[in-house]
Structure formats: C-alpha cells, structure tokens
Amino acid sequence: MHATTTTIAARAVAARKVYGHGSTAVTALDGIDVELPAGRFTAVMGPSGSGKSTLMHCLAGLDDLTSGQVFVGEVDLSRLSERELTRLRRDRIGFVFQAYNLVPTLTALENITLPAALAGGSPDRGWLDAVITATGLSDRVKHRPAELSGGQQQRVAVARALANRPEIIFADEPTGNLDSRTGAEILGFMRQAVREMGQTVVMVTHDPVAASYADAVLFLADGQIVDLLFEPTPELVLDRMKKLGD
Amino acid sequence: MRRIALRGLLAHKGRLVATFLAVALGVAFIGGVLTLTDTMNRSFDDLFADVYRGTDAVVRSDRTMTQYDEKARAKLEASTLEQVRSVPSVEVAEGGVEGSARIIDRDGEPIGSSMFGPPTLGGNWSDDPDLNPFQVREGRGPRSAGEIVIDAATAKSTGFEVGDRVKVQTNAGVGEYELVGIAGFGKVDSPAGASYAFFTTAEAQKLLSEPDRFDSVSVVARDGVSQAQVASDIRRALRADHVDDVEVLTGQQVTEESQSDLRGELSFVTNFFLVFAVVAVVVGSFVIYNSFSIIVAQRTREMALLRAIGASRRQVRRAVVVEAVAVGLVGSAIGFVLGLGIATGLKGLLDVDAGLAVLPTAVATAVGCGLVVTVLSALVPARRASKVPPVAAMRHVAVDRSGRSRVRFATGLAVGGLGVASVVAGATGGELQRVGLGLIGTLVGLLLAGPGVARPVSNALGWPVARLRGITGQLARANAGRNPRRSASTAQALMIGMGIVAFFMVVNTSIRASIDKTLDEDFAGDFIIDSGGLSGIGLPHELAVKLGELPEVASATPMRYDAAELKGRSQNLTATTSTAFGVFGLDVVQGSDALDLGEVVVLKETATKRHLQVGDTVTLDFLDSGPTRLRVAGIYDGPEASQLGSFILGIDELARHVENDSDYQIMITLADGTAPAEAKPVLDAVTKPYLSADVQTVDDYSKSIGDQLDVILNLVLGLTVLAIVIAMLGITNTVALSVLERTRELGLLRAVGMSRSQVRAAIRWESVIIALLGTSLGLAFGVLGGWGLVASLKDDGFEVFRVPFGTLTGMTALAAGLGTLAALLPAWRASRLNVLDAIEEA
C-alpha cells in the first residue's frame, strides 16, 4: 500500500464472512484488511472461491459481514439500518453488473437517471450531459434496452453508475458478456471516468486484459489478500495468477 | 410424463393457490345452492306428505284462472259436501275453507307484514285427526263463531294463552275472538313458519269465502277401500247427480301435485341464484386460464428440455392437462365441502327444519362443473406449452405471436363494433332482443380485443399515477402494460362482475327515476293509502267511502285489481271509480267515464287491436260468476306509464263477480286550499282502526317502491360479490406470478437504491391500474347494457334513463382500494427479497 496522502474511498477492517455453521461452514472472507484509495481504478482478482465477489458485495452494502467492519468514506456500514443502506447505495455508490443491468420498461435515459429518480430528484444537468456524451450515448437515450446492443447496454450501465456522482463505483465482471472490442470500450470509459472525472472504480474480474486497465490489482485467495500489483499489464497479471495457482 | 406432471405440480403448488381457490369458490357456490334447494325440496316434500297423510281423496272445482301470475281456483257449492257424504265407501267427508288471516299481536300490529315472510293463513277447524294435520296441544277446537285456535308458533311469539281475547284481520274486517285452543303441526309449532287462525266452518266461510261455499272437500275412505276406489266412486256419484266442473283426486295425487308445484316455484328462485353461480365459475375460468398461461410461460425452459430429450408435443400438452385435472379435482372436492357448509349456514338462517339433503346429482353437477371448467380453461395454455420449440432449452427464444394477435384484435374490434351498433339499433327501435344480442357481441368483442385495448387503456389510467408518484408510478404504469394479454385476461375477470353491478345499478336508478317522473307529471293524487304488503288482505270498502266524505278530501278513489278471461286468455282488470281517470292523468277519448254497472272502459290500443268500439259487447269470464256480457261504454288513453290496463270496470260491477269486498289501494286528492300537512293527521285518524292501512304521500310511496327495488338490487350485489372476490384473487395471482418473473429486475432496483416501501408501492399501483382497467371496461359495458335495456323499453314505461354517477364513482374508488388490497401480499413478499439472491438468480 502506498504511504501517500490519497483519501480512502472504502475500506474493510478485519472483515470475516462465514456461510453456514458447524461442519458445513464456509469461510468466504478470512479477516481481510484492505483500503481502496479514492480517484483510482482498482481491480480485484482471484480464483473462484477466493472471496472476491463476497468482498465487493460487503463493501457495497449488498451483504453483511460476520465480524469486522466495512466503511464507505467515513460511514460504518454495520451501523446502518436496512433503509439507510439502501439510501447509501442509491446516493453514494454506483453499480455495473455483468448482465441484467437495465430495467427493460425504461428508456436508456430513464435508466441512467434511475437512482436520482428514486431519490425523488434528478441529476445535475450539466454533469448528466457530460456523462452521456462521454459514453457516446447521445443518440440512443430514448431507446429501450431491447433496442440496444450488449455493448450499448453496458455503456448505459456505466453512465448510470456515473450520473449520480457516487463516491465509489463497483463493477462486477462488467465485460464478462461482451466481445473483446466492446469490452475494451467499456473498460476505456471506466478508466476515463477515473482519470478525467476523478471517480473511484473497483472492478472484480477474472480477465487479465481487463485487469490491465486498472491502476492496481488486488489478488485474493481463500478469503485473504495474497498479492498486490501496481501498474499492471496483462502479462504481469497472468504471471501473478499463475503463481497463485501453485 | 404423468409423474413429471404431478411432481411439477407439487413443486410449484404455491403458484396454484389462487387457482385452487377460484375453483373451490365457484364449486362451493353451485354446490351450496343445489344442496340448499334439495334440502328445501325434501323438507317441503315431507311437509306435504304430513299434511295429506290421512286424506284419501280430495274433491275440488276444476275451474282455474291465472290472476297476476297466481293460479286461483273456483269454489264448490255446499251441496257437493252432502253428495260426497252419501257415497257408501266414504267414511268421513269434511269441507275445507282457506284464505288470508292476520293475527293482531298485543301491540295492535298485525303479524307477518313483511314482503318475504311466511304466509298468514286462516281456515276452518276440523276435529278429524285424519283430515286435520294440526293437533290441539292446549285447550280444544272452536265450537262457536266467537272462538278461534291459533298455531303454537304464533302463540309463542305473541305470548297469547288460552282464554285470551285475540283480534284477527281478514278481508271482512277485524274481529275479536276468544282463544280456546293452541295447535301444533306434528312435531313442529307451525309448518314452515306460516301462521294459522282456525275458525268454525260457518265463521270461516263468512270471513274468508262465502256462506255455503267450500274451497275443497276432503275424504277419508272406509277401512279396506283404496284411494283409487273411493275417488272413482265419488266421481261416479257426482256425475250421476249432474255435478259438473269438479275433479276428484286421490290423496296421493294431491300430495304429489303440491310437492311438484312447490318444486316449480322453488326452481325459479334456484335458477336465479344458479345464474350468479355460473357467473362466478366463468370468472374463475379466467383466473384458471391466466394462471396456467403464466405458469407455462415461466416453465418454457423445462418444457423445451422435455421436448429436446424426446417428449412428443402431445405428451407435453397432456402433462399440463393432467395438472389441470389434479387441480380441478382437488379444488372441486374442497369447494363442494365448503358449499355444504354454506348450505348448512343458510339453512339455519332460513329456519329450515330438515337435515341437509346431499344428493348425488348435486355432487356430480358441482364437482363436474369445477373439473370441466378447470380443464377447459387449461387447454389453450396446454397447447401453447406443446408448441415450445426444443431449442428454447439452449437459449432464450421469444415466440413470435404478433401476427395472430393482430387478427384477433381486428376480429374483436369488428365483432365489438357490430355489437355496439346492434345495441344502438335495438335501443332506438324498441327491440329488446336485438339489444341482448348486441350486448353479447360487444362482450365477445371486448374479450377478443382485450389485449389490444389493455395497453392503451392502462397507460391512460396509469398516467396520473406516473405523474404523481414519480419513478414508482412510472414503473407501475409500465409494468401494468408490459404483458397486455395477461393484464387483459386478469382485468376481464373483474370486468364481468363490475359490468353486472353497473348494469343493475343503472337499471334500478332509471326505474326509480321513471316512476318518480310518472308520479310527478301524470299522477294528480296527494296521498296513497296502501293496504300494507302482499298479505292478501285489503282495505274494506267502507274506508274509501268514509275518506271520501271528509271535507279535506276532494276524492277518494279505490283501486282493485283482478282478472277475467277473454276468449280463453286471462286479462288483468282494474276496478275503480270514474275519478281515477283524472287522478292518473288519463283521458276518456270516446264515450263515457261513468263506470256504471254492466259497463267496461277499454284501453285505446286494445280496442284497436280487438276492433272494439263504443256500444260493442265484450264477454269476460269470471272465475266465480262465469261469463258476463259487458257493454263497452268508453275508450281511454294516456301516457304509457300511468295506464290502468286493457279493461277498467266500476267497483260495483266487479263486486258482483268477486266476493272479496276490499280495495287494494285508495288514491286521495285533497280539496282546494288544503295543505298536505293539515290533511295527514285527519287521514291517519280515520285509517287507524283499519290496521293494515298505510297513509303515504307521493314521496313516501316512491320511496317505498324504491326500497323494494333496492332489496332486489342488494340481492344481486350480494350474489355478484363472489364473482368479484374471485376476480380479485386473479389479480393477486397475476401480480404475484409477475413478481416471480421479475426477481432479477427487482434485485437490480433494490441494489441501485430502491427502498422496500418503494418496491411495495410500485407493485400496489400496478395492481390498482389493472383493477381500474377491469372496472372501467365493466362500467362502460354495464352502462351500455343498462341504456340498451331502458331505451328499448321506453314505450313500456321506462321513460327516464339515469346513470348513478355517484355510485359508479364510488365503485371505481372501491375497485382501486380492492386492487391495493389484492397486491398487499405479493408486494410484501417482493420487498422482502434478498437483494443478492435476486441479482444472482440463475
């Protein structure tokens, strides 16, 4: 970890998550301490069962820890009621899922402004236009998801994640269902959001090429952080992953 | 395949709860009505068997006439009794007299005044235990004219005891008697709750009939003589004595005739109820169809898999049908048991004594209906299931049905359009049949075009919701229109129930408005003196005379209604005085309005039809007095609604032919300058001794008719409630199953920050929009139907068409409320979804 004065967007302290009990208990997170710096693109990787998805779900307020704490900014998620958690997700966190990101009955624009509409308002007009332009959706905003390609749908998802100016954006395998060219587009948008718009993005992936777009890669195995790589390239990432396998 | 089907059924049995309930409720209604009818039939069968147990033969007149939908029979001469007694094989013969008699309770009120209560009867007492089904429990039978016996039930309810003085009201007036005995009917206190007052034969003849007349002669045969034998002996004897116009029935025949007459009357009521039961079942079929459609749609992958590994189309279809059969059987069985419970409850309410008669016909009909309806409703979804292509197991394939639905929509519009046109044509042309056919066409059109109509209408209805409720409302509106076919069939189930209610409300309001208009415009009377209900007892004629003599009264017009046959067909007659024409706004356009003896005044339309002119003779055949020639003295005409029928006689003329000397109503017009408020106390004072007289202003009268109509309306509403409940179940079902389908989407919404209460609200509003969709279509249909009926009957007195906008608005609000209620459970469950599980649903 860097000893710089960057702020921390989210962190976990001694985070443990255990499913089931007794002899059938599965430990997904085994006492993780991690700090995710603001204004950075961080990838989280690891074999299946490593706990990477669990870690993200807990950081995002979608799941709760068995013990330990999780913070978004200065807010301790374990202290929040279900309604407050929902509001946190709505106002301060952005999401991009692998698939089924959009509400089929709403237009692209309505999907993008969804979190703000849920709060009873609408996003800042100027910011909204910038996001739509940046994601290249200006001429597709009135279309329904069924009328958009897979790549366009993911772009709408990214735009939605950005539109409400969250503190942190979580992306769960955002390019998993896309071909490499469209995937690269999406990854490019996310990096642009970090570099030019000062957003924080945390992406779970198993794809070394996707991971190479990040500033840093966290490697998890058996519920623990086992490695950290800065300025990743696909080859370096692949290399580290092979080491994990041993 | 059967095992797969049944396992599949058990796996998602939760999804079929609403279907079970829909089947069960419909079957319960049918089974309950049928069982209750069977029970009441059996109870009355037993009753009549008891009444005629000791009777071997009955002699009575064979002349009958239909008077205002009831059969009246001529009476026998007293000499016939002597002739029957002289037949050797006759052991005992007694004459019977019967009529209406109301016992006055200790507060001075006649008992049994309600419209739907049991009859208040009077008759002559017989001490013969074979012929009299009543037995004295305390005291003895009446021996002189001043003595009476009453039934035990009335004695209990009024508190009268042997030795008390009791007043009884008959058409001859009110008399006071000494109570010398209280009688029971076998084990019960009175048969079917009817009240009885027994007099001596002579007194009964005086009050209820005529001296020297009997209604029938009942006979007990000598030991060893069969019923058939004694009957034929009597017949021969009477023929030998040249006694014509009589018939002799055996005790068995009389029993069977009474039983079947009652069955006939009961079946009229039963069929009325069954119509509503069928409506409930039809509504249920919508729910069943919808349910299976949704379930099949949700199991597309499973069906495709089965097809991919080699199941034939027929096998897949049959699997769904097997599920339907299972649901139908279990649902119907549960429903029938439920129906038995309902019948038992109703039996208690109506105070029917017999045990519940559960006949195989009732079971077979009810359960059969449920099963057949379930299977039929599931046939189309089953066929759809078999059409799933095997490749759908591998990837998501949308079945393109847009072509077929366009044809369906076009057909629906065409049929519906024709239907509406037919209604309009029938309404303006006065052809009720065409209106009826048109309504059927409109309904079919609505059902066919439903999906095409559903989206635009639900979008329109949802527009205010979307505007006022932000994203929650927007999502609700979009979801309501998402699957038009599903929304349409769900809404159509509610449309039926709401349509029925709206129709009856419109007709009710229009009838009342028409009556009010007639009373307003044509009726010149100030007060109406009514004889208080359908007890069969009227106002003694002296009351009309007394009222006519009052200074405050300009005219007191008595009204009587009877019937006579003209050329073999029964004609309803009105008997009154000549002031009636002015009171009812009628004109005697030819001839005289005097209504003297031997005269009759004919309605212009009838006169034209029968080629009658002033001076012609017309022969009317009266039940008691036979054919009578009357001179056509005048021809009258007037507004349709206030006409008094084809033939009008003078009171005195009718009195010659019918021995019942009482008026049904008296119309009072006040003298110039007398205010109604002044006159009322005077009228009240004069009518007070005539216990059943009810002094009503025109407004009172209109209101009391309205109240009677309301009873029918409320009955209809009550019967339709079940259909609406089932339709609401259908809405809950559709909403719940849709939520299941949208689990992933809900997970997404919750993840990006939709709160639980927002999720619930969205689902509730979706349900409300669907409920309003069904209600609005139903109201439109009901109003159209009501208008068609009223307009086509304009010439028969339905002058006013009025829509109860307030009530209809109330219905709409109620529907919205019910829609909210229907969504409560699915909404709550949807909000409780675990976000993570929902997002990750495979």
Side-chain angles (χ1 to χ4, degrees), chain A residues 82 89 100-101 110 118, chain B residues 474 744 748 750-751 758 840:
Chain A
E82 200 285 326
R89 291 199 301 269
Y100 298 100
N101 266 299
E110 288 164 342
L118 286 170
Chain B
Q474 229 176 308
R744 208 167 204 156
L748 170 74
R750 291 276 289 127
Q758 280 174 314
E840 298 190 328

Side-chain angles (χ1 to χ4, degrees), chain B residues 730-742:
Chain B
I731 295 184
T732 305
N733 195 38
T734 300
V735 171
L737 292 175
S738 303
V739 162
L740 226 78
E741 260 175 18
R742 287 183 248 142

Side-chain angles (χ1 to χ4, degrees), chain B residues 93-249:
Chain B
E94 297 205 0
V97 183
E98 55 194 28
S100 294
R102 291 208 287 187
I103 298 165
I104 313 293
D105 67 18
R106 287 187 190 277
D107 298 323
E109 290 294 320
I111 63 168
S113 320
S114 80
M115 191 161 114
F116 296 111
T120 52
L121 302 169
N124 64 326
W125 179 260
S126 163
D127 282 316
D128 190 304
D130 285 325
L131 295 178
N132 187 354
F134 280 87
Q135 305 89 28
V136 169
R137 290 191 187 166
E138 291 172 44
R140 56 171 173 79
R143 290 194 202 126
S144 70
E147 299 179 345
I148 60 165
V149 168
I150 65 176
D151 67 281
T154 306
K156 279 192 188 150
S157 68
T158 53
F160 283 126
E161 290 167 21
V162 174
D164 286 344
R165 299 208 56 84
V166 178
K167 290 206 191 112
V168 181
Q169 181 190 36
T170 60
N171 273 315
V174 179
E176 199 180 83
Y177 300 85
E178 184 189 341
L179 184 63
V180 296
I182 294 176
F185 187 90
K187 280 179 279 159
V188 299
D189 290 338
S190 90
S195 77
Y196 274 88
F198 294 103
F199 308 87
T200 59
T201 302
E203 185 68 10
Q205 284 171 324
K206 192 174 85 155
L207 298 175
L208 307 171
S209 175
E210 262 176 59
D212 290 343
R213 292 284 191 107
F214 289 110
D215 287 292
S216 60
V217 170
S218 303
V219 168
V220 179
R222 281 203 201 285
D223 277 339
V225 179
S226 72
Q227 288 189 354
Q229 182 64 44
V230 71
S232 90
D233 287 348
I234 297 174
R235 238 176 261 129
R236 222 179 306 126
L238 290 176
R239 224 180 299 139
D241 285 337
H242 304 294
V243 178
D244 304 312
D245 299 337
V246 294
E247 56 186 17
V248 184
L249 282 74

Side-chain angles (χ1 to χ4, degrees), chain A residues 56-238:
Chain A
M56 193 188 75
H57 293 153
C58 292
L59 283 169
L62 291 171
D63 204 353
D64 49 9
L65 294 171
T66 311
S67 71
Q69 290 165 304
V70 135
F71 293 85
V72 169
E74 294 306 311
V75 180
D76 181 354
L77 263 52
S78 61
R79 289 187 187 285
L80 295 184
S81 70
E82 200 285 326
R83 197 175 315 154
E84 287 164 332
L85 265 177
T86 304
R87 240 176 269 155
L88 184 82
R89 291 199 301 269
R90 183 185 72 193
D91 301 333
R92 299 170 66 179
I93 300 179
F95 287 95
V96 182
F97 296 104
Q98 181 173 2
Y100 298 100
N101 266 299
L102 307 182
V103 179
T105 50
L106 301 177
T107 64
L109 180 63
E110 288 164 342
N111 267 291
I112 293 172
T113 56
L114 183 58
L118 286 170
S122 46
D124 173 57
R125 194 73 231 198
W127 178 248
L128 181 63
D129 287 338
V131 166
I132 291 177
T133 315
T135 45
L137 289 166
S138 310
D139 58 343
R140 302 304 259 174
V141 283
K142 289 279 181 10
H143 289 125
R144 295 238 151 82
E147 297 160 334
L148 301 173
S149 69
Q152 286 165 337
Q153 290 180 22
Q154 287 302 77
R155 274 195 263 159
V156 173
V158 172
R160 179 190 66 217
L162 289 168
N164 226 20
R165 289 199 119 131
E167 282 180 33
I168 185 166
I169 295 176
F170 289 103
D172 190 354
E173 312 262 12
T175 56
N177 275 16
L178 304 173
D179 62 75
S180 46
R181 193 176 63 85
T182 330
E185 234 173 47
I186 298 296
L187 293 162
F189 285 136
M190 292 202 289
R191 191 164 63 183
Q192 197 183 347
V194 170
R195 297 281 162 77
E196 295 169 25
M197 300 172 180
Q199 296 287 148
T200 308
V201 176
V202 176
M203 175 179 71
V204 164
T205 183
H206 64 269
D207 179 7
V209 173
S212 68
Y213 280 75
D215 298 317
V217 181
L218 279 167
F219 292 91
L220 265 68
D222 299 321
Q224 292 272 13
I225 296 186
V226 295
D227 205 350
L228 177 61
L229 172 65
F230 293 100
E231 319 286 322
T233 66
E235 297 76 26
L236 278 172
V237 170
L238 207 52

Side-chain angles (χ1 to χ4, degrees), chain B residues 200-351:
Chain B
T200 59
T201 302
E203 185 68 10
Q205 284 171 324
K206 192 174 85 155
L207 298 175
L208 307 171
S209 175
E210 262 176 59
D212 290 343
R213 292 284 191 107
F214 289 110
D215 287 292
S216 60
V217 170
S218 303
V219 168
V220 179
R222 281 203 201 285
D223 277 339
V225 179
S226 72
Q227 288 189 354
Q229 182 64 44
V230 71
S232 90
D233 287 348
I234 297 174
R235 238 176 261 129
R236 222 179 306 126
L238 290 176
R239 224 180 299 139
D241 285 337
H242 304 294
V243 178
D244 304 312
D245 299 337
V246 294
E247 56 186 17
V248 184
L249 282 74
T250 62
Q252 182 67 21
Q253 284 172 327
V254 163
T255 308
E256 283 166 3
E257 183 193 78
S258 303
Q259 290 170 338
S260 86
D261 278 352
L262 191 101
R263 254 168 217 272
E265 279 177 45
L266 206 57
S267 78
F268 177 70
V269 174
T270 307
N271 289 340
F272 181 68
F273 277 63
L274 276 180
V275 166
F276 286 89
V278 167
V279 167
V281 169
V282 166
V283 169
S285 75
F286 277 87
V287 175
I288 298 166
Y289 166 80
N290 225 26
S291 226
F292 275 97
S293 291
I294 295 175
I295 289 174
V296 162
Q298 289 176 348
R299 287 161 73 204
T300 304
R301 270 201 138 162
E302 185 186 323
M303 309 273 169
L305 185 64
L306 287 170
R307 293 272 288 121
I309 62 174
S312 74
R313 280 198 175 161
R314 188 199 264 168
Q315 285 174 312
V316 171
R317 189 175 66 228
R318 225 176 301 144
V320 178
V321 172
V322 165
E323 287 192 30
V325 168
V327 170
L329 271 178
V330 177
S332 299
I334 294 175
F336 191 78
V337 171
L338 195 67
L340 289 183
I342 295 175
T344 310
L346 284 175
K347 183 171 84 78
L349 226 84
L350 295 171
D351 219 7

Side-chain angles (χ1 to χ4, degrees), chain B residues 683-702:
Chain B
L683 295 172
D684 281 339
V686 174
T687 56
K688 195 162 173 335
Y690 303 90
L691 299 159
S692 52
D694 196 11
V695 178
Q696 296 180 330
T697 61
V698 175
D699 287 337
D700 288 339
Y701 184 68
S702 154

